[in-house]
Amino acid sequence: MSIDRPTPPRGFSDAEFETRTARCQAMMAEQSMAALLVCTEPEVRYFTGFHTPFWQSPTRPWFVVVPATGKPIAVIPSIGGASMSATWLDDVRTWSSPQPADDGVSLLVDCIAEVAGAYGGGSVGLPMGPETHVRMPLGDLDLLRERVGGFVDATAIIRSLRMVKSEAEIAKHRHICAIVSDAFDELPNLLSTGMTERQAFQAFRAEIVRQGADDVPYLVGATGPGGIDDIIRQPSDREIADGDLLIFDTGSTFDGYFSDFDRNFAFTHADQGAKDAYRAVWESTEAGLAAIRPGATTTEVFTAMNEVLKANGSLGNDVGRMGHGLGMQVTEWPSNTDSDGTVIEENMVLTLEPGLVWESGKAMVHEENLVVRGDGPELLSRRAAPELPII
Amino acid sequence: MSIDRPTPPRGFSDAEFETRTARCQAMMAEQSMAALLVCTEPEVRYFTGFHTPFWQSPTRPWFVVVPATGKPIAVIPSIGGASMSATWLDDVRTWSSPQPADDGVSLLVDCIAEVAGAYGGGSVGLPMGPETHVRMPLGDLDLLRERVGGFVDATAIIRSLRMVKSEAEIAKHRHICAIVSDAFDELPNLLSTGMTERQAFQAFRAEIVRQGADDVPYLVGATGPGGIDDIIRQPSDREIADGDLLIFDTGSTFDGYFSDFDRNFAFTHADQGAKDAYRAVWESTEAGLAAIRPGATTTEVFTAMNEVLKANGSLGNDVGRMGHGLGMQVTEWPSNTDSDGTVIEENMVLTLEPGLVWESGKAMVHEENLVVRGDGPELLSRRAAPELPII
């Protein structure tokens, strides 16, 4: 059913997880950190390879403790015991959950105490900063903080680990971006005026899967006469008409790694304002691509892109940034903003996403995906056409 | 492309949101609660109708404040302003996010102070109990708690609201359960030995969408000779062989409401142990259905089901419960456990999910979906065959 396309290997070697853990432990050692606790899906997957959509169930908390030396330790509900034991981990501790009276808290406290004791004391890290949250009931978290004696913020460690990708991760990104590029190329053959937005969504979703994606967790879009004004919408029963603009923005996945880029189309014709807005975001992306290199900052990239938008009469936009990191989540650190200031490193996977509102009050957002190489960006998405495509 | 099937209306009337808010405010009044804060996807959607997959991006926090009287107030990133303003809400406050130095915290504190001041003081609620978490950085949450002067636990309010469904919600559940029932019925025509697990997953996922589902966010399954030992797995490249058992468990959606049930199949033949295990979980479900009525407790339902499993030689299971609530999430409160004790009410949507490990060490899990009516359960999933189906 799917297209003939070489598929990268699924999963990762044990060596990949050993490297991730060793990099983490080197940063922990600099801070005399005895243990690092994570409890969110991408972090648990990063250290273990445990990959399941079961996280959609909010019922049970899941924990992984990274000790100062040795493999991470899983402290998880028994329903995940078989899957977690099939990963590279050796130490998988389970309890029968849900158990509201003590849903893993005591088991986790004991594990942390054991790990910290073996280290001879030291702090216990937990990500507490931007783009993180603690996935357990606040009442249990308060109890945990009291019994552990407090946590220190480990956001910087997790952030710097996850922002730079391995070649094995990059291969998965490249694969899903190629799939979605091909699916976007098929759109003119799939869509026509008279279809509803909902039918257009279903046709595009089916095409992405036909091209070989595992799933399409993120798909938003909109249509509207002469342009659109909301870029995170779900489809309606509105029929596509002559003169409409369409945006589709999708985060599709291969083996748990995301693409995240959009494309804009006009049906039968477009006015000059829409064409100019499209050209402006395309040129802005060119400026972003030219600014991307190891050592540059996300703020420099933002500024380079924003100058082009301002020169083309942008009235601003509501997105709050012009691109971001990409990985196991559809958006990750860093953000291309006027103050983010993250130093760009080789093998970061990033999006460039300039957007503007033009004089009609409509929005135009454009996006590409890339990996940072020593000499600049390597595009992962197939570069969009420089002029607004008309179907 | 999709099957000819009457489709329930999408979205909800303003009256539905008014009723939800009024029920919430009545419970708040009993506790002199001036405001209730929610920040997770289903809760925000419950009070506003705001529905987008954008929540997959961890970058920005989103808040809704329910005051003692009047409509809820949204305090959200500007990227969501257009979508949120299209809901029934009147008061949508936005800030340009991401903005790590103050990512909505001051705007939210001001909103809560205004609402609580208008009420003349009183507590501020936040869900802190089982099956909840606070979706914002812990550092910002600590700051928020300090500036608000602390929160009281509002889990009981949110839980009791969301556990009982309206007829409009039930219609969405009934529709997606019918779609998935039909897709399961097609499986014998879609699957055969020699296919890989991954091909089987893709075929089933495509069939669910073809039957009219919006999406298949949750799909797990496994195959194995004579049975399976892990029920939350992702597919492998293992080829299905004669004598294999297969389980598929899916949470598919229509208009943001889930089905959640599984089916088991054998290929070409099955041994007596597998047949007996299947029969036992099927009979256990019959006992659960007989026990479901308004006024019974989830513990009574659990006990009725567990007695059947014990009588059939169950060696226990790792799931930790035998069914749960179903709604905007693939699992919701309550849980059918030996101590949950939730009193079952009319219009709760529940799953029955007995599981056992039999003497081979393999697991068998079975699941049905239902809505509780005055005189007992109304099945939403089409009842599985009483004997293990063989493909």
Side-chain angles (χ1 to χ4, degrees):
Chain A
M1 191 170 86
S2 65
I3 305 302
D4 187 25
R5 187 197 311 276
T7 299
R10 292 190 179 256
F12 295 102
S13 66
D14 286 2
E16 172 115 5
F17 295 111
E18 285 162 9
T19 301
R20 293 175 181 184
T21 304
R23 287 180 61 206
C24 181
Q25 288 166 336
M27 285 186 276
M28 289 167 63
E30 285 170 15
Q31 302 179 39
S32 301
M33 194 181 284
L36 192 161
L37 171 63
V38 295
C39 60
T40 37
E41 192 277 337
E43 279 70 34
V44 168
R45 177 152 49 109
Y46 183 83
F47 286 113
T48 67
F50 181 72
H51 187 202
T52 170
F54 197 76
W55 290 87
Q56 290 172 69
S57 166
T59 302
R60 304 169 182 88
W62 302 69
F63 308 106
V64 165
V65 176
V66 182
T69 58
K71 293 185 182 183
I73 301 165
V75 181
I76 62 169
S78 53
I79 194 172
S83 281
M84 187 64 87
S85 297
T87 71
W88 78 299
L89 296 201
D90 297 327
D91 191 348
V92 177
R93 306 177 186 191
T94 67
W95 80 98
S96 181
S97 178
Q99 200 178 118
D102 185 1
D103 226 352
V105 173
S106 290
L107 197 62
L108 177 60
V109 168
D110 289 349
C111 176
I112 291 173
E114 179 189 321
V115 164
Y119 182 75
S123 63
V124 182
L126 175 71
M128 305 180 184
E131 311 219 10
T132 75
H133 67 269
V134 181
R135 188 188 175 279
M136 66 187 293
L138 183 56
D140 285 354
L141 173 58
D142 286 343
L143 194 62
L144 179 69
R145 290 169 96 170
E146 190 185 313
R147 290 180 62 183
V148 167
F151 292 95
V152 298
D153 186 13
T155 305
I157 293 176
I158 296 296
R159 185 182 192 272
S160 68
L161 284 172
R162 284 185 52 207
M163 278 198 302
V164 176
K165 268 66 178 181
S166 69
E167 290 301 330
E169 290 178 293
I170 292 166
K172 297 178 201 291
H173 281 298
R174 189 184 290 111
H175 186 63
I176 188 64
C177 287
I179 285 168
V180 174
S181 294
D182 283 348
F184 270 124
D185 283 352
E186 279 298 313
L187 267 190
N189 303 322
L190 299 172
L191 303 187
S192 55
T193 54
M195 290 178 86
T196 66
E197 286 185 353
R198 209 177 310 282
Q199 289 168 332
F201 266 63
Q202 289 293 36
F204 186 43
R205 183 188 294 275
E207 178 63 17
I208 297 169
V209 170
R210 195 186 71 86
Q211 292 279 353
D214 289 342
D215 200 4
V216 187
Y218 185 76
L219 178 58
V220 295
T223 63
I228 55 100
D229 55 13
D230 181 356
I231 64 155
I232 63 167
R233 248 191 44 205
Q234 287 295 279
S236 74
D237 289 319
R238 181 180 184 280
E239 284 188 9
I240 301 172
D242 286 346
D244 274 5
L245 255 63
L246 162 74
I247 184 170
F248 270 140
D249 187 5
T250 177
S252 294
T253 54
F254 171 76
D255 205 25
Y257 282 77
F258 272 90
S259 68
D260 177 23
F261 59 100
D262 68 19
R263 288 294 179 260
N264 293 275
F265 299 88
F267 286 86
T268 65
H269 62 85
D271 64 26
Q272 196 58 44
K275 289 177 181 172
D276 291 347
Y278 182 96
R279 184 77 201 183
V281 292
W282 193 90
E283 295 285 1
S284 173
T285 305
E286 290 291 295
L289 290 169
I292 291 266
R293 62 178 193 286
T297 68
T298 49
T299 299
E300 289 164 9
V301 172
F302 172 89
T303 303
M305 300 175 80
N306 201 37
E307 290 301 319
V308 175
L309 298 184
K310 285 196 292 185
N312 283 275
S314 167
L315 304 177
N317 75 69
D318 288 331
V319 178
R321 59 180 176 179
M322 295 203 200
H324 50 77
L326 183 65
M328 291 183 282
Q329 289 173 294
V330 68
T331 82
E332 298 187 351
W333 312 276
S335 292
N336 299 333
T337 70
D338 63 1
S339 60
D340 183 75
T342 302
V343 176
I344 292 171
E345 294 177 55
E346 203 170 334
N347 291 356
M348 284 184 174
V349 174
L350 302 172
T351 80
L352 295 177
E353 190 176 11
L356 60 74
V357 172
W358 79 91
E359 56 188 5
S360 67
K362 303 293 186 182
M364 179 71 72
V365 178
H366 179 58
E367 192 167 17
E368 300 284 7
N369 299 166
L370 61 92
V371 54
V372 181
R373 298 304 195 178
D375 56 355
E378 173 195 335
L379 272 171
L380 297 174
S381 49
R382 191 173 307 137
R383 189 77 175 98
E387 308 295 341
L388 177 61
I390 296 181
I391 296 179
Chain B
M1 194 171 85
S2 65
I3 304 303
D4 186 26
R5 188 198 309 275
T7 300
R10 292 190 179 256
F12 295 102
S13 67
D14 285 2
E16 172 114 6
F17 294 110
E18 284 162 10
T19 302
R20 292 175 181 184
T21 303
R23 286 179 63 207
C24 180
Q25 289 166 335
M27 284 185 277
M28 290 167 63
E30 285 170 16
Q31 302 179 39
S32 302
M33 193 181 286
L36 191 162
L37 171 64
V38 295
C39 61
T40 37
E41 193 277 337
E43 278 71 34
V44 168
R45 176 151 51 109
Y46 183 83
F47 286 112
T48 68
F50 181 72
H51 187 202
T52 169
F54 196 75
W55 290 87
Q56 290 172 69
S57 166
T59 301
R60 304 170 182 87
W62 303 69
F63 306 107
V64 165
V65 176
V66 182
T69 59
K71 293 186 182 182
I73 301 165
V75 182
I76 62 169
S78 53
I79 194 171
S83 281
M84 188 64 86
S85 296
T87 71
W88 79 298
L89 296 202
D90 298 325
D91 192 346
V92 178
R93 307 177 186 191
T94 67
W95 80 97
S96 182
S97 178
Q99 199 177 117
D102 185 2
D103 226 353
V105 172
S106 290
L107 196 63
L108 177 61
V109 167
D110 289 349
C111 177
I112 291 172
E114 180 189 320
V115 165
Y119 183 75
S123 63
V124 182
L126 175 71
M128 305 180 184
E131 311 219 8
T132 76
H133 67 269
V134 182
R135 187 190 175 277
M136 66 187 293
L138 183 55
D140 286 353
L141 173 58
D142 286 343
L143 194 62
L144 179 69
R145 291 171 96 169
E146 191 184 312
R147 290 181 61 184
V148 167
F151 292 95
V152 300
D153 187 15
T155 306
I157 293 176
I158 296 296
R159 185 182 192 272
S160 69
L161 285 171
R162 285 186 51 207
M163 276 197 304
V164 176
K165 268 67 178 180
S166 70
E167 289 302 330
E169 291 179 292
I170 291 165
K172 297 179 201 290
H173 281 298
R174 189 184 290 110
H175 187 62
I176 188 63
C177 287
I179 286 169
V180 174
S181 293
D182 283 348
F184 270 123
D185 282 353
E186 278 299 313
L187 267 189
N189 303 321
L190 298 171
L191 303 187
S192 55
T193 54
M195 291 177 85
T196 66
E197 285 186 354
R198 208 176 311 280
Q199 290 167 333
F201 266 63
Q202 288 293 39
F204 185 44
R205 183 187 295 276
E207 178 63 18
I208 297 169
V209 170
R210 193 185 73 86
Q211 292 278 354
D214 289 342
D215 201 3
V216 187
Y218 185 77
L219 178 58
V220 295
T223 63
I228 54 101
D229 54 14
D230 180 357
I231 64 154
I232 64 167
R233 247 193 43 206
Q234 288 296 279
S236 74
D237 289 319
R238 181 181 184 278
E239 285 187 10
I240 301 172
D242 285 347
D244 274 6
L245 254 64
L246 160 75
I247 183 170
F248 270 139
D249 186 5
T250 177
S252 295
T253 55
F254 171 77
D255 206 26
Y257 282 76
F258 272 90
S259 69
D260 178 23
F261 58 99
D262 68 20
R263 289 294 179 261
N264 293 274
F265 298 89
F267 286 87
T268 64
H269 61 88
D271 63 27
Q272 196 58 43
K275 289 177 181 174
D276 291 347
Y278 182 97
R279 184 76 202 184
V281 291
W282 192 90
E283 295 285 1
S284 173
T285 304
E286 291 291 296
L289 289 169
I292 291 265
R293 62 179 192 285
T297 68
T298 49
T299 299
E300 289 164 8
V301 173
F302 172 89
T303 302
M305 299 175 80
N306 201 36
E307 291 300 319
V308 176
L309 298 184
K310 284 195 292 185
N312 282 276
S314 166
L315 305 177
N317 74 69
D318 287 331
V319 178
R321 59 182 176 180
M322 293 201 201
H324 51 79
L326 182 66
M328 293 183 281
Q329 289 173 294
V330 67
T331 82
E332 298 188 351
W333 312 276
S335 293
N336 299 332
T337 70
D338 63 1
S339 60
D340 183 74
T342 302
V343 176
I344 292 170
E345 294 178 55
E346 204 170 333
N347 290 357
M348 283 185 174
V349 174
L350 302 172
T351 80
L352 296 177
E353 189 176 11
L356 61 73
V357 172
W358 79 90
E359 56 188 6
S360 68
K362 303 294 185 181
M364 180 72 73
V365 178
H366 178 58
E367 192 167 16
E368 301 284 7
N369 298 165
L370 60 92
V371 54
V372 181
R373 299 304 195 178
D375 57 355
E378 174 196 333
L379 270 171
L380 298 174
S381 51
R382 190 172 309 135
R383 189 76 176 99
E387 307 295 342
L388 176 61
I390 296 181
I391 295 180

